[in-house]
Amino acid sequence: MSNSTQETTLPKIYRTTALTAFIYTAFIIVFAIYKQFFYVDGTWFHGFLANGFAILSTVTWFGILLVFKLFLNRILKYSKADSLIIASLVFLAIPIYSLGSVLYSFIQTYLTFGGEDTFDSLSSFASTSISSAILLILSNIGMIVVTVLLGNRIRTIDVIQKKFFTILGFSFIALGVGSALQAVSVIDSDFIVFLPKAVTAAVLGYILKETSQMNYSELSSTLKPETNENVNLSKVKVSSQKESEKSEKINVFKKKEQINPGPEIIPNIDINELENKEIILSYFDNLSTDELNRLEVVVAKNFTQNLTDDQKKNLVIQHIAEKKLYDHNRYAPK
């Protein structure tokens, strides 16, 4: 892969996770069919197979959610779901430990069955099963609440793939509600959990796949930076008259540079005069390294002399203000 391709595409981990999510969806559907039609309760083999799949499923889902958290933070610059995803990871780690302990004790009991240590193994297995069952109940309650809240937060993401983020959010909510109904035995079927889980994994994988195929520079320019929720949105909106005045101030420097002969004049705009100073600076501070380098090349190509870091910064801020890069609605119909 060439350097230019590496600079304009997302890391491979997101494409790999998307593929993993699709495979995980298929395994969920297969296991749901097995659990509904072939599973025999109370048998060693089927109990071992069910516990083994539960551990593998939980570990896989843990990894998918972890990458999804990185995707929201680093790519979409969206951190409002951070605490909920972290809570989900904690509640997933508990059953991984609990089910792992049961599976280990299960194997030990099976290997020593019929020997001198059979009674001790059975006692240990029973004790481990009881303590694990208590942990699973507590973690399941917490996971239900967090999943519903996480779905409600995700469905409001509208930076890209808005329709699929809405579907993903409602899938999380359906997963939480389904788990709650199964927990209180309102519906005695695993399909009420498996189906929303499969849909959630498939939609999440689709979002990662589609986004990973986008040009990184174009993706960065379409994302709006997170701003303080306490900021009065009316201050962010600028009237057409003020926008034209701001454009005139910026264009004056370019005209002077073209007319005046002699040494090049590097325009130096007073940032405090910009109407949208706070949001422009916020957009500048949240630029990725690749996008910042690209903008520096864009502004520097108009000058033959070497620019200082401060001059580059000032010119990039001018470019952001002039092109309204901070405004994600700039391409909307007027």
Side-chain angles (χ1 to χ4, degrees):
M1 181 178 291
S2 64
N3 293 334
S4 60
T5 304
Q6 293 177 351
E7 292 176 357
T8 57
T9 57
L10 269 62
K12 288 184 178 179
I13 186 173
Y14 300 115
R15 295 192 292 276
T16 303
T17 304
L19 178 60
T20 303
F22 292 139
I23 296 174
Y24 179 62
T25 300
F27 271 109
I28 290 176
I29 295 173
V30 171
F31 186 78
I33 296 173
Y34 156 76
K35 193 75 182 291
Q36 184 69 25
F37 300 105
F38 302 102
Y39 178 75
V40 180
D41 193 19
T43 60
W44 286 86
F45 173 75
H46 290 279
F48 176 80
L49 191 61
N51 280 325
F53 177 82
I55 295 174
L56 179 62
S57 174
T58 307
V59 170
T60 305
W61 189 238
F62 184 97
I64 292 173
L65 281 184
L66 182 60
V67 175
F68 184 61
K69 176 182 178 297
L70 297 177
F71 172 75
L72 292 180
N73 282 343
R74 297 181 180 180
I75 306 303
L76 301 190
K77 311 299 181 184
Y78 185 87
S79 61
K80 293 180 180 179
D82 253 12
S83 58
L84 291 173
I85 296 180
I86 291 174
S88 298
L89 296 177
V90 172
F91 286 125
L92 284 173
I94 293 174
I96 290 174
Y97 168 77
S98 301
L99 293 172
S101 301
V102 171
L103 188 62
Y104 177 75
S105 180
F106 183 91
I107 295 173
Q108 280 192 323
T109 303
Y110 181 79
L111 293 176
T112 59
F113 190 76
E116 297 179 356
D117 298 331
T118 300
F119 179 77
D120 292 338
S121 298
L122 289 173
S123 299
S124 175
F125 177 71
S127 176
T128 302
S129 298
I130 293 172
S131 61
S132 296
I134 295 174
L135 286 175
L136 285 174
I137 292 172
L138 295 176
S139 66
N140 192 36
I141 294 173
M143 193 66 185
I144 289 170
V145 176
V146 170
T147 300
V148 173
L149 294 176
L150 179 60
N152 187 56
R153 183 61 57 84
I154 287 176
R155 71 180 181 83
T156 61
I157 299 177
D158 62 352
V159 287
I160 57 170
Q161 302 289 339
K162 183 180 185 302
K163 180 174 71 173
F164 289 98
F165 269 114
T166 301
I167 297 174
L168 180 63
F170 282 115
S171 299
F172 270 106
I173 294 174
L175 176 60
V177 173
S179 300
L181 293 176
Q182 187 189 50
V184 297
S185 300
V186 172
I187 299 178
D188 189 18
S189 174
D190 291 327
F191 269 101
I192 196 174
V193 175
F194 286 136
L195 183 58
K197 189 68 170 289
V199 173
T200 302
V203 176
L204 195 154
Y206 178 82
I207 291 174
L208 290 178
K209 181 182 81 69
E210 290 299 310
T211 308
S212 65
Q213 293 175 351
M214 296 177 64
N215 183 282
Y216 187 78
S217 299
E218 294 178 358
L219 176 62
S220 299
S221 64
T222 60
L223 300 178
K224 61 179 179 181
E226 284 189 28
T227 56
N228 193 320
E229 293 181 358
N230 296 324
V231 174
N232 188 346
L233 295 180
S234 63
K235 293 182 180 179
V236 178
K237 297 180 180 179
V238 182
S239 66
S240 58
Q241 180 180 0
K242 292 182 178 180
E243 287 180 355
S244 62
E245 291 176 357
K246 179 183 65 177
S247 299
E248 282 182 17
K249 290 180 180 179
I250 296 174
N251 290 330
V252 162
F253 294 108
K254 289 188 175 181
K255 290 179 180 178
K256 287 183 178 179
E257 180 189 357
Q258 294 173 356
I259 297 173
N260 293 338
E264 289 180 310
I265 299 177
I266 309 299
N268 184 28
I269 192 171
D270 186 358
I271 299 174
N272 294 322
E273 293 181 2
L274 297 176
E275 182 67 21
N276 285 339
K277 180 184 72 173
E278 293 182 2
I279 193 170
I280 291 173
L281 290 179
S282 174
Y283 181 91
F284 176 86
D285 293 335
N286 283 282
L287 287 174
S288 64
T289 303
D290 291 338
E291 180 64 8
L292 179 59
N293 291 337
R294 187 185 73 81
L295 290 177
E296 287 181 350
V297 171
V298 170
V299 298
K301 67 182 181 180
N302 296 322
F303 306 95
T304 57
Q305 67 185 68
N306 293 329
L307 302 176
T308 65
D309 291 340
D310 289 338
Q311 288 174 330
K312 289 179 182 179
K313 175 182 177 181
N314 194 275
L315 289 171
V316 169
I317 291 175
Q318 291 181 47
H319 182 76
I320 292 171
E322 182 180 8
K323 301 298 183 181
K324 300 180 187 176
L325 299 182
Y326 59 88
D327 182 8
H328 70 287
N329 287 320
R330 63 187 183 276
Y331 296 122
K334 301 299 181 182

